[in-house]
Structures are given as structure tokens and as C-alpha cells.
Amino acid sequence: MASLIAGGVDCDVHPAVPHLTSLLPYLNDYWRDQVTTRGMVDLISQSYPKNSPIVARPDWRPETGKPGESLEGMQRHVLDPFQLKYAICNPLYGVQMVFSEDMQAAFCRALNDWLATEWLDRDSRLRGSIVIPTQSVEKSVAEIERCAPDKRFVQVLVLVMGDTPLGKRALWPIYEAAERLDLPVGVHAGSAYHNPPTAVGWGSYHIEDYVGQAQAFQTQLTSLIVEGVFAKYPRLKMVMLESGVSWISPYLWRLHKFWRGVRMETPWVDRAPLEIVRSNIRFSLQPFDAPPDAETLIRLFDHMQSDELVLFSTDYPHWQFDGQDALPEGLTPDLVRKIMIDNPHATYPRLT
């Protein structure tokens, strides 16, 4: 395996909310009363069912509680042994599954305040993502602007499977706010489950959901490009988190071919899709889904035609590798430095 270097940036770690009651101190009186009166106990997404093996490595799974709920565990398992300078916290809690705009906004606000107090305040290496209530664009923009003065928030976080294609122009105020405030938008694997997680309906098994996430990333990337998001917001960066990387080149070949054939339909797309991806899109390393041999790996990176697209991540506490083997075999020292340090700092301008 390629050797890790000290001072890297882990772009995808997942602090877990122990229980819905953990958010009660961060809710106002009305919403605290709603949670207790309704008997609400937790918000658990089936994207990451607690007992699924891939949700946590055996050595990262606590004896009690949820994987990832302990700061001490994250320090012991990732921050210290990987000698990280920063780790970006992406809380995957089921607030996006709530249908009520008002309740979703209240829960997102509480989740962001919980993250700042319970995690960012307790370890200077941690940075956060702003979870937004995507049911309401207006409330999403308000939450971004509320959290943005805290420079420890370095990203806006949405799920890849929500209620609508991400390129739709109704969502553009979110991207305007993100670009204006130097916040990349992280698009993370996961679903609100308001719609089937595949294009052909509901599957029977978790593996169908998990493997199908890559198709969702392709669909959303197509939407973002052809709807003209990056023509309108050329400085906006978007990070595909937990998306995989092996599909990128064949997908872009196909998209480029059809863009050339029907480009009169979208005249605002004035650059080739590959050029847009190079300038505006990044991908987290884990889960790394390429073949294991070094020769094929180098060919894969050659096909990407850029060494700036991939960002280091461990995906803690999810089980994507063993021990310290977060980097695949065959990466040169220069490429390791790009992935672990240079690319993250170029992507996240708030990392200082």
C-alpha cells in the first residue's frame, strides 16, 4: 500500500448522533415539546443500517452505542494514527427524511449546533459541514448564512438521493449562497427515501441500495452540468462523497459524446463536460472501487486526465479498508501528497 503522510485532510468522517434526545438541548421549547409529546426516539436512515457489516469495521465498532458517536473513538482510530491536520465531519443523521419543512429546518439547525458544540469545540482538528433542510430552499439559504460566520464550517452537505435533480434552477439560491461564502457543496451517498433509491423502483436488499448510489451520482452530475449550474456559478466546487471513482471516465466519455450531438439543446454548457468536472467537481477516495493491481490503478488515473480530482477520506467509521490501508497500492509519493494535502486545501478555501 502507498504510505500515508502526516498533515493530511480527511474529507469524510461521520460523527453519529447517539439519540434524538441528544439534540434536545439545541431545540427551542416548541420543538423540544414536539419531540417529547410525540414520543419521537430516533431518526435512522436505511442507507446505513446499524448492524450492517460495512457500517463499521469490527475494530471501530463500540461495545455499546452507535459507531462513530464517541469523539475519543475517532481520535484513537483516525485522527491520531493517521496524523491528520483536519477532518471534515459529515453527520449522516435522518433529518433529511422528515417531510415537514418546519420540523426539518429545526432539526437541521439543532444538528449543526450539536456538531459545533459536541465535536468542533472539543478538537481543533475537526471541521464541519452545514446540513441544510432541502425541503425548503429559503430555509436552506438561511441556515447556510446562519452557520457561515463560524469558519470551522467548511462545506454545505446534501444527500445524493433527495426529492429532485440537483441541477434544477429552483435550487440555485443554495449554490449562490455557497459560492458567495466560499463553501463547497458536498453531495454524499444516501437517500431521503421519499422516492425509490433506484431508477426502476424498490430493491429487496441493502446491497442494491448501496451499489445503486453510483448511478445516483451520475444522474446528479449530469443534471448539474447540463442545467448550467457551473456556467452560472463558475467558482462553485462540488464534492462527491462516498461516490466511488471507477465510473468517472466511462461516464464522462458517454456524456461528452451526447453533449456534442445535442449541444444546441443546452447552449449555456459552453465547455466540454470533462473540463467542467476538472474545474468544479471533486471525489472522495473511499470507498475505492477500482481493481486492486497498481498497473490498472495508474491507468484509471490516466483516464481521468487530472491529478486534482480525488480527495483523501477514510469514511470513518464505515468499513472500506483494514488497518492503515486507506490508500490503494501504486500511488506515487507526489500523487499521495496531492490527494491528502494539496487537493483538499485547493477545494476547501476555509481550511487554514
Side-chain angles (χ1 to χ4, degrees):
M1 290 292 170
S3 297
L4 296 163
I5 56 177
V9 180
D10 190 337
C11 296
D12 191 32
V13 298
H14 302 298
V17 177
H19 192 272
L20 188 56
T21 56
S22 304
L23 300 185
L24 290 181
Y26 306 99
L27 293 167
N28 64 26
D29 292 343
Y30 173 80
W31 287 110
R32 277 198 300 272
D33 182 66
Q34 288 291 306
V35 169
T36 55
T37 301
R38 296 184 187 197
M40 301 177 69
V41 294
D42 217 345
L43 299 171
I44 300 174
S45 169
Q46 288 306 303
S47 295
Y48 303 92
K50 185 173 67 172
N51 293 324
S52 174
I54 63 172
V55 169
R57 278 171 35 171
D59 57 326
W60 287 354
R61 189 182 291 275
E63 293 184 8
T64 60
K66 296 177 182 176
E69 73 174 42
S70 163
L71 172 60
E72 291 73 20
M74 183 183 291
Q75 292 167 333
R76 184 172 65 255
H77 296 143
V78 173
L79 295 174
D80 295 338
F82 286 79
Q83 301 181 68
L84 297 173
K85 184 174 183 179
Y86 297 116
I88 300 174
C89 297
N90 297 314
L92 299 176
Y93 196 52
V95 292
Q96 296 93 341
M97 299 187 297
V98 176
F99 279 94
S100 164
E101 291 184 10
D102 293 328
M103 181 180 287
Q104 188 181 100
F107 284 172
C108 286
R109 182 186 183 102
L111 179 60
N112 293 327
D113 289 346
W114 169 87
L115 179 65
T117 301
E118 304 292 338
W119 292 80
L120 307 189
D121 284 354
R122 295 174 59 199
D123 194 310
S124 62
R125 293 170 291 184
L126 296 180
R127 296 295 183 266
S129 292
I130 304 169
V131 179
I132 58 173
T134 50
Q135 289 271 60
S136 167
V137 172
E138 180 183 7
K139 287 180 170 60
S140 292
V141 171
E143 185 62 13
I144 293 170
E145 292 178 338
R146 186 185 75 88
C147 294
D150 185 343
K151 298 300 183 180
R152 298 174 303 174
F153 283 104
V154 300
Q155 178 172 250
V156 175
L157 188 66
V158 300
L159 296 177
V160 71
M161 296 184 190
D163 294 325
T164 188
L166 290 175
K168 289 290 188 178
R169 297 178 189 189
L171 300 176
W172 284 16
I174 294 173
Y175 306 142
E176 185 281 328
E179 184 189 56
R180 169 166 45 88
L181 296 165
D182 288 328
L183 290 163
V185 175
V187 182
H188 199 286
S191 176
Y193 293 106
H194 297 171
N195 302 297
T198 81
V200 294
W202 297 92
S204 301
Y205 304 101
H206 177 62
I207 188 174
E208 295 176 83
D209 184 317
Y210 193 77
V211 173
Q213 301 284 332
Q215 301 167 26
F217 279 103
Q218 293 173 36
T219 301
Q220 295 291 24
L221 189 50
T222 301
S223 173
L224 291 162
I225 290 172
V226 303
E227 291 274 2
V229 168
F230 302 110
K232 181 68 173 178
Y233 306 107
R235 294 190 301 106
L236 179 67
K237 289 283 198 302
M238 299 192 93
V239 183
M240 304 296 156
L241 296 161
E242 224 170 300
S243 61
V245 298
S246 63
W247 54 268
I248 297 170
S249 294
Y251 157 80
L252 285 173
W253 295 335
R254 179 178 176 85
L255 179 59
H256 182 83
K257 173 185 176 181
F258 287 102
W259 167 74
R260 291 185 63 186
V262 294
R263 61 187 301 180
M264 67 182 70
E265 182 185 27
T266 55
W268 46 83
V269 185
D270 56 0
R271 294 182 292 154
L274 176 58
E275 293 181 31
I276 295 173
V277 168
R278 281 179 186 164
S279 62
N280 296 90
I281 306 294
R282 299 295 180 260
F283 302 85
S284 67
L285 180 68
Q286 296 293 345
F288 196 74
D289 54 357
D293 61 285
E295 182 179 353
T296 305
L297 172 66
I298 297 304
R299 191 181 311 134
L300 174 67
F301 276 91
D302 287 343
H303 284 321
M304 290 183 185
Q305 300 180 43
S306 174
D307 61 2
E308 298 179 349
L309 298 184
V310 178
L311 311 178
F312 178 73
S313 67
T314 61
D315 192 24
Y316 177 84
H318 299 163
W319 192 7
Q320 309 299 353
F321 58 89
D322 292 318
Q324 296 290 92
D325 296 341
L327 293 172
E329 185 177 355
L331 300 181
T332 66
D334 287 344
L335 188 52
V336 169
R337 180 175 181 83
K338 290 282 288 186
I339 290 172
M340 293 195 68
I341 297 178
D342 297 344
N343 293 350
H345 281 275
T347 302
Y348 296 99
R350 288 174 165 231
L351 290 181
T352 56

